[in-house]
Amino acid sequence: MASVFKLPAVGDTMVEGEIVEWLVDVGDTVELDQPICSVETDKSVVEMTTPYRGTVLALGGEPGDVIEVGQTLIVVGSPGDDVPDAGEGGAETAPAGSQSEPGQGVGAVDAPGEPPAPRSQAPDTAAAGPVAASRPSSAAMPGQPGAAEPVKALPKARKLARERGVDLAVVAGTGPGGSITVTDVEAASATASPSAAGRGRRERMSATRRSIARHMAQSMQVPQFTSMADADAGGLLAARTALATETGSRVPLDALLVALLVPVLRDHPVMNARLDGDEIVYFDRYDIGVAVDTPGGLMVPVVRGADALSLPEVSAEILRLAAAARGRTVAPHELTGATTTVNNVGALGMLAGTPMLPVRTSMIAAFGMARPVVRLIDGAPAEVPTMTVSATFDHRIIDGGAAGRFLAQLKGAIEEAAPSKQAEG
């Protein structure tokens, strides 16, 4: 009996994945925990491994196809086994003694020796033929009026429909069993509207961009406000140069900002907290998210236990996480669980920012590019390297007065520029 491996959730926020590349094909023989494909999640590109041994009977889609968590990724069994049609149940775990045997799955995501448990109860979907979706309708039991009717479409047809914005629910299929083919989608696209050609190009957002869009929409549900203050960054910049000379390696400004921020958070615990119902949860850890600009969009890897790290350790960790984020090799767990966030917008040449509050946190701080500002020093004009510090707060638990006191202390820490005196964790 064929064994169906469904796409597991790699991380708490994953709801779907885009197939990037297949490493096996139908008819190939696979071993336990053998890499079979790479999938782009909302966080990174993850290499999937098979929890079964046997012959590849079907694939859940083609490169570029997006499948939901719990849908079929691959079907493995013995030559001649029946491949379940869309909606039919396939064996989650192969019977003992058969050619297909359960394995570990996707690394440490699932328990060793057990097949990954799907995080949703989506039906098994055969990928050798048309992949079924559901036409929108009111909820109803199969066989009753209003029940959803399956939409059968070949993977290439589904991909083309996404690119051209064609609704498969209104396309008549001419393929085997009424499945929708590429020709059907092309015909529907050509007749959709006489002026369709003048509407520009459609492009499906990447998994990372879709995740960013969801999080930004969630963030806007929270009443939030941003306050700013200017700080003399001369000492901070000098400290960065001195540390780079001392260690012989590049020191990201973010590292000094994290080191300066932690003691201030200790004095203002509501800035390292979140609202949960009618209760404020004060975190007992300082896991600081550091915003990183990548070719695929903004990513926020997390420096765990920043309060227990020395400044050189914070620097090395930020450099490691930033490189992994830009190379799409960062682990999903390294992108979750931030208790607060810093964003060095000055690295992009910005003077200031009004950052949006990450979900499940109460504050995010942004630091602009230091620029010369003429001020009176002892009665004489002088150029002072000035950095604008801005922070966005959850207005449900933080008022303007608390925000002002927090910013004033953070400004003072920058101007004192003593990150090496970071309090012990």
Side-chain angles (χ1 to χ4, degrees):
M1 185 176 181
S3 299
V4 178
F5 175 35
K6 298 178 181 180
L7 180 67
V10 185
D12 296 337
T13 62
M14 179 177 170
V15 296
E16 63 185 11
E18 180 173 331
I19 299 173
V20 177
E21 177 186 18
W22 281 107
L23 306 177
V24 297
D25 203 350
V26 173
D28 289 351
T29 299
V30 293
E31 298 296 329
L32 297 182
D33 300 326
Q34 176 179 330
I36 54 173
C37 67
S38 55
V39 174
E40 181 183 9
T41 73
D42 57 344
K43 303 294 186 183
S44 58
V45 176
V46 180
E47 188 176 75
M48 295 289 175
T49 59
T50 173
Y52 303 114
R53 174 188 293 120
T55 300
V56 178
L57 303 179
L59 304 179
E62 297 186 354
D65 286 345
V66 176
I67 61 176
E68 296 180 358
V69 168
Q71 287 187 330
T72 296
L73 183 63
I74 193 171
V75 181
V76 177
S78 300
D81 282 350
D82 290 334
V83 177
D85 292 329
E88 291 186 4
E92 286 291 342
T93 305
S98 70
Q99 187 172 354
S100 298
E101 300 177 9
Q104 182 174 349
V106 190
V109 174
D110 301 279
E114 298 179 3
R119 304 309 203 273
S120 66
Q121 298 301 316
D124 293 345
T125 304
V131 178
S134 295
R135 297 181 188 274
S137 68
S138 59
M141 294 296 291
Q144 293 182 353
E149 299 178 4
V151 176
K152 294 183 178 180
L154 297 173
K156 287 185 177 180
R158 291 173 55 235
K159 182 178 180 181
L160 182 62
R162 287 197 303 270
E163 293 173 350
R164 298 194 179 184
V166 174
D167 182 3
L168 291 178
V170 298
V171 178
T174 61
S179 60
I180 298 172
T181 66
V182 169
T183 302
D184 298 329
V185 174
E186 290 175 339
S189 176
T191 59
S193 170
S195 59
R199 294 181 180 176
R201 178 174 62 90
R202 286 178 177 264
E203 180 179 290
R204 182 177 175 83
M205 292 190 295
S206 68
T208 300
R209 179 53 58 183
R210 292 195 300 273
S211 176
I212 292 172
R214 286 195 300 269
H215 290 165
M216 293 302 99
Q218 292 172 13
S219 174
M220 289 306 295
Q221 302 303 310
V222 176
Q224 52 190 273
F225 70 100
T226 303
S227 295
M228 299 183 181
D230 283 343
D232 180 345
L236 179 66
L237 299 179
R240 179 191 186 189
T241 300
L243 183 61
T245 301
E246 177 185 338
T247 61
S249 61
R250 186 171 70 88
V251 177
L253 188 61
D254 311 67
L256 281 81
L257 298 174
V258 168
L260 289 170
L261 177 63
V262 169
V264 183
L265 291 176
R266 282 204 182 95
D267 292 340
H268 301 267
V270 74
M271 305 300 172
N272 193 57
R274 69 179 177 88
L275 182 64
D276 183 14
D278 292 332
E279 298 179 333
I280 301 175
V281 179
Y282 295 94
F283 296 115
D284 58 359
R285 65 188 192 279
Y286 297 89
D287 295 343
I288 313 300
V290 178
V292 177
D293 180 45
T294 77
L298 179 69
M299 303 185 79
V300 187
V302 181
V303 178
R304 305 285 180 193
D307 57 317
L309 301 177
S310 67
L311 183 52
E313 289 173 334
V314 172
S315 178
E317 181 66 354
I318 288 177
L319 290 174
R320 182 190 71 82
L321 290 169
R326 295 189 179 100
R328 304 306 302 272
T329 60
V330 63
H333 73 270
E334 294 177 320
L335 293 161
T336 59
T339 59
T340 194
T341 302
V342 299
N343 189 355
N344 179 17
V345 298
L348 301 176
M350 300 170 64
L351 298 180
T354 54
M356 293 180 64
L357 189 68
V359 295
R360 294 183 291 280
T361 62
S362 63
M363 190 278 298
I364 176 175
F367 301 86
M369 178 180 66
R371 76 278 185 193
V373 174
V374 176
R375 295 183 181 179
L376 287 178
I377 306 296
D378 296 330
E383 282 192 351
V384 176
T386 303
M387 170 187 288
T388 297
V389 183
S390 57
T392 297
F393 307 91
D394 185 340
H395 210 340
R396 297 172 299 176
I397 60 176
I398 299 172
D399 297 326
R405 289 186 289 274
F406 167 78
L407 274 177
Q409 185 172 341
L410 183 56
K411 170 185 175 180
I414 292 174
E415 293 183 337
E416 290 174 7
S420 61
K421 296 180 181 179
Q422 177 183 4
E424 295 180 359

